[in-house]
Amino acid sequence: PRRRSRSSRAGSSRAFFFLPFAAMGGYWNQPLYLGGTGDDGQCIVNPLSHMILDVYDSMNIYNPKLQFKVSEKTPDDFLKKALDMIRRCHNSVVFVNEELTVRALEAAGISPEDARHADIKGCYEYAAPGELITEMFYVNSLKPLEYVLHNGRDGITGEEMGLKTGEPECFGDFGEFFDAYLAQLGALLDRVCEIGNVIESHYTDINPQPLYSATVRECLEKGREAYDGGAKYNNSSLEFGFIATAADSLNAIRKYVYEKKTVTLRQLKDILDADWTGFEPLRRRIMNDPEKYGNNREEPDRIAVRITEFLYGRVVGRPNSPVRGGSWNAGLHVARQYIYQGKKTAATPDGRKAREELSKNASPSQGCGREGATAAILSVTKINAVHLREDVSLDLALLPASVSGNDGLTAMLGLVRTFMRLGGHAVHMNVFDTVMLNDAFQNPDKYRDLQIRVCGWNVLWNNLGSAEQLAYIRQAEALK
């Protein structure tokens, strides 16, 4: 029998490291982060880092998912290697701003040393060594809007859920309406934190973590389980979802109700209750309005910033359960809640119909990012990611023609560097066009290996439902 060469055997052994991850499946994938800065202030990217990328790329896998700590000292050639993978649809990769994470952690009371050694975890979140963060509290930013339009009632169920802020006729201008929205939002945030504190006081009883606790030095020193306040930092996180849908919806009210006076607020409320039935021209007009968040437009971006600053002031730093003895953080991560919560959300003033999906993370709504990647970066980085230390992630969509050749690769690197220098937290990318995605939709057998970056993980195109596939096609159409 032929003997394999030493290099071949070495390549197989290197690939074997990834095989258990790829074989175990799991929808969310397992994280593996690379890069960062050592105690000497130098980037710790080394030949092993490059070898990991080479082997990973050759295997055409997407589990584990790769997370990059990026600073000004991260070598261009290392980033370009990852970006070249992305433009070939080997894109289970996210770039996380190391300098931003250090500033955010220090602002939250984490020691400088621990901030410097923070881990990237989950999808693109980050935590200090010895920090236990709970992340089970998702807040739907569209529900307060429903409560204002229905004087405290849920737009889907009709239940009394919010404050009595008045009937639609009582708001004389957009400022009064927006104040009512923030009042509803504040009450909702307070309720979530209060309920969260009660739940967390029982964590150690219903979900003890003895094995994890045994790996945390502070738990061993205190003799306390991690959920019982044993960790060095015991914090909680509230995930605030669908900022683009909220900003676009509030901007539509500002523009079409109070500025243009196309409809009254009462009429708009009735139109939404009818799920836009009979008002398709108005819906199309609003949907096609270029003044959308994610396009570097002043008004929707300003609304998004005001909402996130309100979120920061209401939630971040408030005490969590006394049992844990930490504080609350917040972020804009949604996981698959853009689908799950979308099914529980009434029609919205931005033209979205009831129960359709909502926007992802800090990104523009699907199909609304019409001004390209640079405009999306400029919009997202207006949000202060230091304040929302859990995550403020941007999902970018790029056309293959825009990233081809050496110039295209340099342009991709420029986008990443610009995002980081402007204070962005995390960015990840899909490279696709309508021709490819429409063909994949019609001929799935031809695209069995096509990967799609969903939120903070990758899936195969053919494992998406048809509604999700069509949403990506709409996103690609907006890039023309």
Side-chain angles (χ1 to χ4, degrees):
R2 290 182 59 188
R3 305 185 77 182
R4 288 187 301 163
S5 67
R6 180 176 299 176
S7 61
S8 174
R9 292 196 302 272
S12 298
S13 63
R14 293 165 187 163
F16 182 77
F17 176 82
F18 291 118
L19 288 178
F21 296 97
M24 74 172 60
Y27 179 79
W28 310 103
N29 311 153
Q30 303 298 314
L32 172 67
Y33 92 81
L34 303 170
T37 302
D39 290 332
D40 61 357
Q42 299 303 308
C43 179
I44 60 176
V45 170
N46 56 45
L48 177 59
S49 308
H50 285 268
M51 184 188 298
I52 287 172
L53 288 191
D54 290 337
V55 174
Y56 187 94
D57 188 23
S58 70
M59 295 175 70
N60 192 22
I61 56 177
Y62 54 90
N63 189 19
K65 53 190 176 186
L66 302 181
Q67 304 162 327
F68 288 69
K69 263 189 177 181
V70 179
S71 72
E72 289 289 343
K73 296 180 180 179
T74 306
D76 283 352
D77 64 337
F78 185 61
L79 294 179
K80 282 186 173 182
K81 182 173 289 190
L83 291 165
D84 180 56
M85 290 166 55
I86 290 172
R87 65 180 181 175
R88 291 184 283 105
C89 295
H90 296 185
N91 61 333
S92 192
V93 174
V94 64
F95 303 99
V96 180
N97 188 339
E98 181 178 24
E99 293 162 357
L100 181 281
T101 63
V102 170
R103 294 202 312 272
L105 288 169
E106 289 182 353
I110 304 297
S111 72
E113 181 181 6
D114 286 343
R116 188 172 65 253
H117 291 288
D119 297 316
I120 310 301
K121 64 186 184 68
C123 293
Y124 22 67
E125 303 94 311
Y126 50 98
E131 181 177 21
L132 178 63
I133 303 177
T134 55
E135 303 172 346
M136 60 168 286
F137 307 102
Y138 289 98
V139 174
N140 184 338
S141 62
L142 279 305
K143 285 300 174 180
L145 182 56
E146 292 180 18
Y147 300 162
V148 178
L149 291 173
H150 298 86
N151 196 16
R153 295 186 300 278
D154 187 282
I156 289 284
T157 67
E159 294 179 85
E160 296 281 353
M161 298 295 293
L163 305 175
K164 290 288 187 182
T165 46
E167 295 296 328
E169 292 80 9
C170 77
F171 305 110
D173 57 33
F174 179 68
E176 292 181 6
F177 182 89
F178 192 69
D179 286 343
Y181 171 83
L182 293 180
Q184 296 280 8
L185 174 58
L188 178 59
L189 294 172
D190 290 345
R191 190 184 320 145
V192 170
C193 290
E194 290 165 5
I195 293 171
N197 286 351
V198 172
I199 293 172
E200 289 199 337
S201 67
H202 298 287
Y203 268 178
T204 194
D205 300 318
I206 63 176
N207 188 31
Q209 299 289 313
L211 292 179
Y212 171 76
S213 300
T215 69
V216 179
R217 180 175 59 188
E218 287 75 17
C219 290
L220 298 176
E221 292 173 348
K222 297 175 185 177
R224 296 176 66 182
E225 199 265 339
Y227 279 136
D228 192 35
K232 186 174 184 179
Y233 306 103
N234 299 277
N235 298 319
S236 308
S237 179
L238 180 152
E239 302 298 349
F240 186 77
F242 330 122
I243 188 65
T245 309
D248 291 344
S249 294
L250 286 161
N251 188 56
I253 291 173
R254 177 197 66 81
K255 188 169 185 176
Y256 289 92
V257 172
Y258 293 104
E259 182 180 298
K260 291 182 174 293
K261 301 187 185 301
T262 305
V263 292
T264 67
L265 191 61
R266 169 66 68 178
Q267 289 170 335
L268 180 60
K269 178 256 182 194
D270 292 341
I271 290 169
L272 298 178
D273 287 346
D275 201 16
W276 293 98
T277 301
F279 293 89
E280 186 62 18
L282 176 61
R283 187 176 86 92
R284 287 291 171 185
R285 180 182 175 187
I286 293 174
M287 289 184 67
N288 292 325
D289 190 321
E291 198 173 18
K292 294 286 197 301
Y293 168 83
N295 295 284
N296 196 29
R297 297 300 183 103
E298 180 180 355
E299 289 299 330
D301 291 358
R302 180 179 62 84
I303 291 170
V305 169
R306 286 190 63 190
I307 293 172
T308 55
E309 290 300 317
F310 182 86
L311 168 66
Y312 165 75
R314 196 78 172 212
V315 171
V316 175
R318 70 190 291 169
N320 60 6
S321 166
V323 172
R324 302 198 64 219
S327 61
W328 282 89
N329 306 313
L332 304 183
H333 182 49
V334 301
R336 285 186 63 80
Q337 295 297 318
Y338 68 98
I339 295 175
Y340 302 149
Q341 291 293 325
K343 293 177 180 178
K344 301 176 182 180
T345 304
T348 46
D350 63 338
R352 173 191 154 275
K353 289 192 172 183
R355 296 183 169 84
E356 290 184 345
E357 70 174 46
L358 299 161
S359 59
K360 298 178 184 176
N361 301 326
S363 307
S365 294
Q366 294 278 56
C368 291
R370 303 184 180 103
E371 297 299 323
T374 301
I377 288 172
L378 292 173
S379 284
V380 171
T381 53
K382 293 174 187 176
I383 295 172
N384 191 333
V386 171
H387 286 173
L388 302 178
R389 60 149 284 199
E390 189 61 16
D391 56 79
V392 181
S393 175
L394 171 61
D395 311 56
L396 277 183
L398 304 171
L399 288 170
S402 68
V403 299
S404 63
N406 291 331
D407 288 346
L409 193 59
T410 300
M412 293 178 77
L413 178 64
L415 289 175
V416 173
R417 292 292 193 193
T418 298
F419 180 79
M420 303 297 170
R421 288 165 184 159
L422 291 175
H425 160 229
V427 60
H428 47 162
M429 308 171 189
N430 277 303
V431 177
F432 48 45
D433 60 19
T434 53
V435 173
M436 178 179 71
L437 293 188
N438 275 306
D439 192 35
F441 186 79
Q442 298 294 333
N443 303 287
D445 287 345
K446 291 170 55 180
Y447 294 88
R448 292 178 181 177
D449 294 330
L450 177 60
Q451 298 178 24
I452 291 290
R453 185 76 175 166
V454 176
C455 211
W457 60 92
N458 272 33
V459 300
L460 295 177
W461 170 262
N462 289 340
N463 289 342
L464 294 172
S466 59
E468 288 183 81
Q469 290 178 340
L470 290 171
Y472 280 105
I473 292 174
R474 288 199 303 273
Q475 186 178 10
E477 290 172 344
L479 300 176
K480 293 182 179 180

